[in-house]
Amino acid sequence: MRILISPPMRFGKEFLGGMRRTLEVYSRMGEEVYLCVDERTLPQVDPEISPLLSKFHLVSSSSTDKKTYLKGFLNCLKYARKVDVLISYSEYSLSVYYTWLLSLFSRKPFIVVVHHVTEEIRGSKFLRTVIARSKGIICLDNPEVYEELKSLFPNKVILTSTNGVSVEDYYTSEEKICDGIFVGNYGERKGSRYLFQIWDKVNEKIDAKLCIIGKGWSEIPKNSVYYGFVTEREKIDLLAKSKVFVFPSLYEGFALAVTEALSAYLPVVTWDLKWSERYPVAIRVTYPDISSFAEEVVKLLKDEKLRKSIGEKSRELAKTLNWEKAAEMEKKAIYKIMESK
């Protein structure tokens, strides 16, 4: 099957977890896959990510330069007419609308990959109408996400896929420079405001440094270091040099950041919400008990033996999550959707 992935993928600081997942999964699918890429940011591709691009037919396009945007769209359209199906690699409106327009002009079906149900989907009737015109939806194997999508799109074919992790890329180090570490962009869904409260409570009991990786943080909790956007290698090294993964997120489709933390032998502390049920090794705190969350973090920071014991279990769970399985699930879902009436 010939597949085209859109909209144009951005690299450098614009590269997001959903894009990373797309490259990991579709590079392993064994199909003829065309990838629309933003030519302006392509030279900024992370050296750790770059080898994955060799598995794709790259389609030069534009999403960051207004002057070349139309030209880039027309180039993606040229290839859209040659393939069997178009894939919107995320559920965000710009991704869905771009792919829908390619579908309209090329007269080829499109499939939307949904990582989580956003407020945009819940609030925009037009976005839901466009998604409803797709051939089908692929969502991550999160029952909460699947059930909400079924209620929003009762007549749509909705199938599940999954995420993975390259466990062998991660490690742990005796050198620790972060007591706690958080990976995620600033936002309500990621539980950012709870992170401030939790780290205040932690520092009432113990002097502990928090490392934050992500975008959009104009303020950070006290006794924290903000790294902003980092390369894959820098992220892996920081995870290895951390003691506890602190992740008070409220809603996730799969939480790629958690799988990476597990791979790095880190104990994970998070809320006992529906999305975290897939991680039985995580310490799941009753939501929204800030004090109990902080107590669990402090307990781990004070007890190295406990940290290492849970860290070993984390690594073992991470080994069960691999990209090959995700690619197989996604491929089967695409074929099944394409075969549906």
Side-chain angles (χ1 to χ4, degrees), residues 143-195:
E144 188 177 18
V145 174
Y146 179 82
E147 291 303 325
E148 186 170 3
L149 285 172
K150 287 301 290 184
S151 68
L152 290 171
F153 306 100
N155 301 317
K156 205 85 233 151
V157 178
I158 303 173
L159 299 175
T160 60
S161 184
T162 192
N163 261 359
V165 66
S166 300
V167 176
E168 64 280 1
D169 292 341
Y170 296 81
Y171 71 103
T172 188
S173 169
E174 290 300 316
E175 178 191 3
K176 301 298 180 184
I177 61 174
C178 310
D179 294 302
I181 186 168
F182 173 90
V183 179
N185 296 337
Y186 183 87
E188 182 68 23
R189 182 174 68 85
K190 290 294 182 181
S192 301
R193 66 186 179 93
Y194 290 110
L195 189 62

Side-chain angles (χ1 to χ4, degrees), residues 78-313:
K78 181 175 74 174
Y79 286 90
R81 291 182 171 128
K82 299 177 181 179
V83 302
D84 302 299
V85 62
L86 315 178
I87 303 289
S88 170
Y89 62 73
S90 90
E91 68 285 338
Y92 289 103
S93 57
L94 291 179
S95 178
V96 175
Y97 295 159
Y98 194 100
T99 310
W100 169 55
L101 288 173
L102 286 177
S103 174
L104 279 179
F105 290 116
S106 66
R107 298 185 179 181
K108 296 297 174 71
F110 74 105
I111 295 171
V112 179
V113 177
V114 176
H115 301 264
H116 58 274
V117 182
T118 63
E119 289 303 321
E120 200 177 25
I121 292 176
R122 296 184 183 115
S124 172
K125 184 177 180 181
F126 183 67
L127 178 57
R128 292 196 303 275
T129 299
V130 172
I131 293 174
R133 292 178 178 177
S134 68
K135 184 72 173 173
I137 299 169
I138 297 174
C139 70
L140 299 183
D141 51 346
N142 178 327
E144 188 177 18
V145 174
Y146 179 82
E147 291 303 325
E148 186 170 3
L149 285 172
K150 287 301 290 184
S151 68
L152 290 171
F153 306 100
N155 301 317
K156 205 85 233 151
V157 178
I158 303 173
L159 299 175
T160 60
S161 184
T162 192
N163 261 359
V165 66
S166 300
V167 176
E168 64 280 1
D169 292 341
Y170 296 81
Y171 71 103
T172 188
S173 169
E174 290 300 316
E175 178 191 3
K176 301 298 180 184
I177 61 174
C178 310
D179 294 302
I181 186 168
F182 173 90
V183 179
N185 296 337
Y186 183 87
E188 182 68 23
R189 182 174 68 85
K190 290 294 182 181
S192 301
R193 66 186 179 93
Y194 290 110
L195 189 62
F196 281 81
Q197 299 172 52
I198 290 164
W199 209 248
D200 279 345
K201 290 283 187 182
V202 168
N203 275 277
E204 288 175 4
K205 302 288 182 67
I206 186 174
D207 182 28
K209 184 173 81 172
L210 176 68
C211 297
I212 298 175
I213 297 173
K215 297 190 297 183
W217 292 78
S218 57
E219 295 181 63
I220 58 173
K222 68 179 181 182
N223 212 10
S224 300
V225 178
Y226 178 44
Y227 287 86
F229 173 81
V230 300
T231 66
E232 288 295 312
R233 177 46 51 191
E234 288 169 332
K235 178 176 65 177
I236 290 170
D237 290 343
L238 280 170
L239 288 171
K241 295 175 182 178
S242 300
K243 295 178 181 178
V244 179
F245 192 72
V246 184
F247 200 63
S249 181
L250 303 181
Y251 178 71
E252 297 286 331
F254 188 97
L256 185 57
V258 172
T259 66
E260 293 174 334
L262 297 174
S263 300
Y265 296 88
L266 283 174
V268 173
V269 185
T270 190
W271 297 122
D272 65 342
L273 299 174
K274 195 76 177 173
W275 73 262
S276 65
E277 289 178 356
R278 75 163 71 240
Y279 303 110
V281 299
I283 297 169
R284 302 171 66 241
V285 181
T286 302
Y287 172 78
D289 190 338
I290 299 294
S291 295
S292 293
F293 200 118
E295 286 171 12
E296 293 294 345
V297 174
V298 171
K299 186 191 302 181
L300 287 164
L301 291 177
K302 287 183 174 180
D303 192 336
E304 183 179 3
K305 185 177 179 181
L306 177 62
R307 284 202 313 272
K308 288 186 174 181
S309 173
I310 296 175
E312 290 290 341
K313 294 174 183 176

